[in-house]
Amino acid sequence: MSERISIIEEIKKGGYEASLITTFNAYLPFYEEVVLRKLIGQGVQHNVVLMDSAQCSQSISNHPPRLAGRHYSLVPISSPGAFHPKVILLLGRNKGALLVGSHNLTLSGFGYNRELTNMIRVQGKDDPEAIAVTQAVWRQVLGWVEAQGDNLPGHLSEMVLKLKDFAPWLGEQQEELPATCRPLSTQSGDPSLWDQFRENFNGIADQVLVSGAFFDGQLSFLKRVQQDLNPKSITVGIDPKTVQVPSGKELPGVSFVNASSLGNDETESGSTGYLHAKSLAVRTVDGDFYLATGSANPSAPAWLRPGVTGNTEVMLLRRGPEAEEAARELGLMAIPDLPELTEHDWQEVQKNWQKDIQLEEQRKATTVGICVATEREIVFPLNALCGSDPIDCEILGFDKQLVCSGEIQRVGEGYSLTLPDEKMGLAGFVCCSVDQKNKTFLVHHQHQIEASARTGSQRRFRDALASLSSDSPDLETLIKCVDKIIFAKAEDVNRAANRVRTSTSTSQSPSDPEEGADLSMDLSDTRKAKKKYRLRHSDDLAYLLDVLIYHLRSEVEGAVESSHEKRDSLGRSEEEQVDADDDEEIESDGAASDEIALKTLSLCHGKVRSLVGRMMTQLQSLADGKVTFEDAVVRLTGVLAVLRQLRNCDGKVAWAKQGQTTFPLGERIRLFEKIAETLIEMPNSILSPPGSDFDDADELARLRGLVLWLAWDSGVQLIKKKAFQESRKELEDRLRAKGLMLSLAQLVKDDEVVVEEARQSIGPLCSSDMDWLNWIFSADQALSKFISGDEHDCLAAKVSPGDIGFIAGLPHFGARMILSLDGGKANLAFLNNDDGYRRFQTSAIKFASFDQLMS
């Protein structure tokens, strides 16, 4: 059923969290004041607009936006022809809406023009056909963005990619496109729209109906339709008052009719809207019907040229009885019955053609670019400023008023502008002159845009995490969010094949070891920071890791300060406490507060116990081959990061006073023992991960550092001295502790990220010294030299239980503790083995004295 579509009414239905709009041109004040306001008002926080780069430049110059770069991402897209698709995507976790049509992002396109737009609603995950069509359009969007390369700041590309986090079904297994509805679209490397149409067309054409607002000068598209389909008739409906078309009277077999009444609703003033609709309808001799509607005008640049040279367009091709019914309801089937153009109509058409705007010249006049403001600087792409260094510039506010002057400097592979903190937030545009050409840059504020690009789960997690510092922490929501984010279904997890490799660097150097510590050394001069990539780059779990491990820690701290005003035990602010006379209630209130704090801490222990239990189940699933190594690594990293955050509350919040803990020792030991059994001792372990690729994964390095923290916090210690009259149990405990410490030392792998994570985790909880961690770092260096060279190698006859063995033929086992030697064989410690050891020929083992190696 064809009906009038109101994007505003669709937004009001709710359930959407993100939007994408692609357009050729736009009136940005209309978008900001009407569309964006409705979107944000309904909870749609992450909004992106893709726009033809030349038109974007004109729009910014003529009608400067006030909110672009702060409340939404404005992304200019370059195309060999014109970037011309008209797509709207409204995205939610369990629903979506796809609109493909002829409308631009203007007041006319959304309200006054006569447009044709298709709407496809995704009603949950059990809607495979709608999901398939939406996924196909989404893949085209990704292709358009990827094709921009270095012309588009990486931050803007990331904000487009971030859209899929709000609708996980976009990135799930691709559904099969239905035969009755599929998008036709172009990007670099794609065949032309017409070739795609022909590929999906079967039968012999009988009748062709065309409508559109712009035609090419040679009527090449109409001629191609005539040549390839050879229909009995071609009828073209146009509005003589507005159409851009050369004289078509001499084109045999093609009839031009006056379609000024098509879809016509007169306004209050009696005028009719601009006929901007584009359509191609074909009926076959067998009665089959095809209807294509969308952005492509009936012209050669839109239909006939391949993606590498033509326009970027999107059409929706529908087939069958429903397509014919839609064409009838839209009035397209009435086109053959409309009156042919009169001589007066053709004269009007000719006037329009002569005053046609020179779009190609406008496209060459692009003068507005995009720059990105980080916390410290404004960054410009290298190819945007190829001139002298430095470059004088003026910084304007979003109201185009002068904020200050500055100097753009060449820095590495780009240009950078540094501003005082109080000026950075005011920057809306940067204006400069390069090679006697004036250039204007719209400033995208990275921090503000990223803050609005959080999913509902991310926002709830952030708020709950911030509440930990209050007297009433929202533990229920926190653990619920953590549980949902970390233990998502396997199909929601990005696999290694889809990794986005991004470099990360450590922001702090490791602090110097404490003076006088056993075996301490300063490793900062020898250890090298390695390039890492993220296993999880953009989803809810990646955000959790960002907050707890990476660069967003300060944001949480800021949220705590801003979101939780200091209140007394009665919940009163400082102002409300002024002149309050409640001395008599202090004692009873204190008792009540203590009781509430105990209940809160007890609730925390229950939630921690549940979280630890779920993670242990995941680790067992890894051992059973039911969970991938990558999933286990990322999930465990998230769990340990959350538990560390809770542990850091000890003694610092009212509900976890001095001497109390949020993460009970028993739970720490329980989780560490399971990690040691499954992730340290297994063949595919964090000591020796499956495939060399994982060695460069940042999450794996962070996990190694977090495991070191958990081992330290669980009381794993090296028992240096043999007890007097040592019992068998004491011997076993001493050797097991040695074996664990050896394995833990080999987690470091001379990796700066591991060192940083371990130091940052243990430091806040360690009030005295760092001897334990310094021993781990030093042991890592000693074991590395032993494994790679001949140092400390000794004969089997000279070693005893507690010394070290390494099997060169099985390097992934790492260095192991010797439990016993007997008859040319040695038992090496393996915690995951039922007997706790494995036997090997001594001739295959390289030995070292533990005391000599660690001295």
Side-chain angles (χ1 to χ4, degrees):
M1 178 68 182
S2 299
E3 57 188 27
R4 290 196 174 277
I5 293 174
S6 170
I7 184 63
I8 303 300
E9 291 302 316
E10 187 62 31
I11 294 169
K12 287 181 179 179
K13 292 179 180 178
Y16 300 114
E17 293 186 75
S19 77
L20 168 76
I21 298 179
T22 73
T23 185
F24 174 61
N25 57 30
Y27 181 52
L28 293 175
F30 163 72
Y31 172 71
E32 294 179 349
E33 294 299 325
V34 180
V35 182
L36 183 65
R37 178 174 294 187
K38 291 293 183 183
L39 287 166
I40 294 177
Q42 291 296 321
V44 185
Q45 298 294 326
H46 183 42
N47 301 288
V48 180
V49 174
L50 270 61
M51 185 177 177
D52 178 85
S53 58
Q55 292 294 317
C56 185
S57 176
Q58 291 182 10
S59 180
I60 292 174
S61 298
N62 298 335
H63 305 285
R66 295 185 303 105
L67 305 178
R70 292 182 297 161
H71 297 282
Y72 68 97
S73 296
L74 180 59
V75 184
I77 300 292
S78 299
S79 176
F83 180 75
H84 202 252
K86 282 79 171 175
V87 173
I88 297 177
L89 266 175
L90 299 176
L91 300 171
R93 182 161 292 274
N94 298 307
K95 66 181 294 188
L98 168 67
L99 290 87
V100 176
S102 60
H103 55 273
N104 281 303
L105 186 52
T106 60
L107 181 59
S108 297
F110 272 58
Y112 297 129
N113 290 351
R114 286 173 284 166
E115 310 278 4
L116 279 180
T117 297
N118 306 269
M119 176 181 283
I120 297 176
R121 292 185 176 91
V122 176
Q123 309 288 351
K125 294 185 177 181
D126 297 327
D127 196 355
E129 292 189 352
I131 289 176
V133 175
T134 308
Q135 285 177 332
V137 173
W138 170 245
R139 290 193 295 273
Q140 290 296 313
V141 172
L142 295 181
W144 300 334
V145 173
E146 183 180 356
Q148 300 307 297
D150 295 337
N151 293 323
L152 193 65
H155 165 67
L156 292 186
S157 299
E158 290 176 9
M159 291 303 98
V160 176
L161 290 171
K162 193 82 172 61
L163 289 162
K164 76 177 188 310
D165 293 350
F166 296 85
W169 45 269
L170 269 183
E172 291 177 356
Q173 182 177 356
Q174 296 179 14
E175 300 286 351
E176 184 177 353
L177 283 168
T180 57
C181 182
R182 58 183 56 216
L184 309 178
S185 181
T186 52
Q187 58 177 291
S188 181
D190 284 348
S192 68
L193 282 185
W194 182 244
D195 287 340
Q196 295 178 48
F197 180 90
R198 289 292 311 278
E199 184 179 346
N200 288 280
F201 180 80
N202 294 305
I204 301 173
D206 178 48
Q207 181 186 46
V208 174
L209 308 174
V210 179
S211 71
F214 295 89
F215 295 72
D216 62 271
Q218 303 301 316
L219 296 179
S220 300
F221 174 65
L222 296 180
K223 293 176 182 177
R224 183 68 174 273
V225 171
Q226 198 173 39
Q227 172 186 322
D228 289 354
L229 299 186
N230 193 27
K232 292 181 180 179
S233 65
I234 299 179
T235 309
V236 181
I238 60 174
D239 187 342
K241 296 179 180 179
T242 57
V243 71
Q244 296 288 338
V245 63
S247 175
K249 292 185 288 184
E250 300 83 9
L251 192 60
V254 177
S255 300
F256 287 84
V257 298
N258 190 327
S260 57
S261 62
L262 186 64
N264 185 20
D265 284 332
E266 291 190 356
T267 64
E268 293 181 359
S269 62
S271 61
T272 60
Y274 174 39
L275 182 59
H276 194 247
K278 303 101 166 46
S279 67
L280 171 66
V282 182
R283 186 203 298 277
T284 69
V285 294
D286 295 329
D288 203 358
F289 196 86
Y290 296 81
L291 174 63
T293 56
S295 66
N297 284 296
S299 67
W303 275 95
L304 302 184
R305 295 176 187 169
V308 72
T309 59
N311 290 355
T312 301
E313 308 277 2
V314 176
M315 299 288 282
L316 198 66
L317 176 60
R318 303 168 68 182
R319 178 183 179 183
E322 290 186 1
E324 185 171 6
E325 180 63 22
R328 182 173 288 105
E329 292 177 356
L330 292 168
L332 300 179
M333 300 303 293
I335 287 179
D337 300 325
L338 296 174
E340 291 190 5
L341 296 187
T342 64
E343 192 64 34
H344 178 267
D345 291 334
W346 280 115
Q347 290 175 1
E348 206 160 12
V349 166
Q350 191 62 27
K351 291 179 183 178
N352 294 335
W353 184 254
Q354 290 174 349
K355 65 180 181 182
D356 186 19
I357 301 173
Q358 301 300 314
L359 292 177
E360 287 301 319
E361 292 184 9
Q362 292 181 13
R363 292 181 58 78
K364 296 177 182 177
T366 304
T367 57
V368 177
I370 302 291
C371 57
V372 177
T374 65
E375 293 182 358
R376 297 183 178 87
E377 61 185 352
I378 298 177
V379 181
F380 302 80
L382 178 62
N383 57 6
L385 291 171
C386 296
S388 58
D389 176 26
I391 302 171
D392 293 329
C393 65
E394 289 186 340
I395 296 86
L396 309 181
F398 285 89
D399 57 0
K400 281 299 188 84
Q401 298 299 307
L402 180 65
V403 173
C404 63
S405 298
E407 201 172 70
I408 302 173
Q409 304 278 353
R410 175 72 179 269
V411 179
E413 295 300 316
Y415 288 83
S416 172
L417 169 65
T418 303
L419 295 177
D421 291 343
E422 66 273 13
K423 303 294 185 182
M424 185 69 77
L426 301 176
F429 301 90
V430 177
C431 302
C432 61
S433 179
V434 178
D435 296 334
Q436 298 182 338
K437 293 181 180 179
N438 294 328
K439 289 182 176 287
T440 300
F441 293 88
L442 173 69
V443 181
H444 264 255
H445 289 264
Q446 181 173 326
H447 185 71
Q448 282 186 265
I449 291 292
E450 287 179 348
S452 67
R454 300 192 189 105
T455 66
S457 295
Q458 293 169 4
R459 293 174 188 278
R460 288 187 291 273
F461 167 73
R462 176 183 180 273
D463 292 341
L465 189 67
S467 76
L468 290 180
S469 295
S470 72
D471 291 347
S472 302
D474 192 356
L475 292 168
E476 290 277 3
T477 300
L478 176 64
I479 301 302
K480 185 177 180 180
C481 288
V482 169
D483 193 72
K484 182 177 181 180
I485 291 172
I486 293 179
F487 300 110
K489 293 181 179 180
E491 58 263 29
D492 292 338
V493 178
N494 296 332
R495 300 302 179 192
N498 296 320
R499 293 175 196 144
V500 180
R501 295 172 180 259
T502 55
S503 297
T504 62
S505 58
T506 57
S507 57
Q508 299 179 8
S509 299
S511 57
D512 292 335
E514 299 290 331
E515 292 184 3
D518 292 343
L519 305 175
S520 66
M521 62 174 65
D522 188 352
L523 305 178
S524 60
D525 292 333
T526 60
R527 189 177 293 110
K528 296 181 179 179
K530 302 174 182 177
K531 290 285 186 178
K532 302 288 185 183
Y533 71 91
R534 294 281 298 274
L535 292 171
R536 300 297 286 269
H537 181 68
S538 176
D539 63 0
D540 288 347
L541 183 47
Y543 175 75
L544 182 147
L545 296 178
D546 279 340
V547 170
L548 295 175
I549 292 181
Y550 299 103
H551 58 283
L552 298 184
R553 280 176 176 150
S554 57
E555 178 190 315
V556 175
E557 295 168 0
V560 171
E561 295 176 3
S562 62
S563 301
H564 299 280
E565 181 183 14
K566 289 185 177 180
R567 295 178 178 269
D568 65 5
S569 59
L570 299 178
R572 298 173 301 186
S573 66
E574 292 182 358
E575 290 183 3
E576 293 168 336
Q577 295 174 46
V578 175
D579 297 327
D581 185 12
D582 51 14
D583 290 342
E584 297 178 0
E585 301 178 4
I586 291 178
E587 184 175 347
S588 60
D589 289 344
S593 296
D594 289 342
E595 183 178 353
I596 293 173
L598 285 173
K599 288 182 178 180
T600 301
L601 189 60
S602 178
L603 173 65
C604 178
H605 289 169
K607 296 299 181 183
V608 166
R609 192 177 304 112
S610 174
L611 185 61
V612 168
R614 286 212 65 177
M615 192 63 242
M616 290 177 65
T617 301
Q618 289 287 310
L619 292 173
Q620 186 58 49
S621 296
L622 171 68
D624 296 339
K626 298 177 182 178
V627 171
T628 67
F629 180 79
E630 178 182 333
D631 288 355
V633 165
V634 178
R635 288 171 177 172
L636 180 58
T637 305
V639 167
L640 291 181
V642 171
L643 293 173
R644 179 183 64 182
Q645 191 73 17
L646 285 171
R647 184 79 167 91
N648 285 335
C649 292
D650 290 2
K652 302 175 184 176
V653 294
W655 54 277
K657 298 180 174 63
Q658 288 290 339
Q660 297 176 327
T661 181
T662 57
F663 187 9
L665 178 60
E667 294 304 315
R668 288 176 238 160
I669 294 173
R670 191 163 72 106
L671 181 56
F672 175 75
E673 292 287 351
K674 194 65 178 178
I675 293 171
E677 174 191 335
T678 56
L679 266 180
I680 294 180
E681 293 289 335
M682 293 293 285
N684 288 335
S685 69
I686 55 176
L687 271 176
S688 180
S692 58
D693 236 15
F694 280 106
D695 272 330
D696 296 326
D698 194 80
E699 288 92 337
L700 180 58
R702 302 288 176 181
L703 177 58
R704 287 169 173 160
L706 287 167
V707 169
L708 290 175
W709 158 74
L710 183 62
W712 172 84
D713 211 19
S714 299
V716 177
Q717 293 283 347
L718 181 67
I719 304 174
K720 296 181 180 179
K721 294 183 178 181
K722 180 179 178 180
F724 179 68
Q725 293 184 339
E726 184 178 52
S727 67
R728 182 175 180 82
K729 176 69 166 58
E730 289 173 330
L731 171 63
E732 291 174 352
D733 289 346
R734 180 167 58 84
L735 293 181
R736 188 177 188 278
K738 263 190 174 183
L740 275 176
M741 292 294 283
L742 276 181
S743 294
L744 292 170
Q746 292 172 85
L747 290 179
V748 179
K749 290 183 175 292
D750 197 28
D751 191 326
E752 183 67 31
V753 176
V754 179
V755 173
E756 174 198 16
E757 200 62 41
R759 285 192 184 279
Q760 289 187 352
S761 301
I762 295 176
L765 299 174
C766 184
S767 58
S768 56
D769 57 55
M770 297 283 281
D771 287 2
W772 188 93
L773 197 55
N774 289 330
W775 187 95
I776 290 289
F777 296 157
S778 299
D780 168 52
Q781 294 282 308
L783 288 169
S784 178
K785 291 179 180 178
F786 163 64
I787 290 172
S788 61
D790 295 328
E791 293 87 344
H792 303 286
D793 191 15
C794 60
L795 299 176
K798 295 184 178 181
V799 299
S800 60
D803 285 332
I804 303 170
F806 173 71
I807 308 169
L810 299 170
H812 57 280
F813 284 154
R816 293 282 172 171
M817 181 64 54
I818 299 171
L819 296 178
S820 63
L821 294 101
D822 180 24
K825 292 187 178 181
N827 294 333
L828 302 187
F830 280 82
L831 296 178
N832 67 317
N833 191 278
D834 292 338
D835 297 323
Y837 64 87
R838 295 186 187 181
R839 290 177 65 82
F840 299 91
Q841 295 287 341
T842 55
S843 59
I845 303 174
K846 179 180 179 180
F847 295 101
S849 165
F850 185 92
D851 292 336
Q852 290 181 11
L853 186 63
M854 300 303 172
S855 62

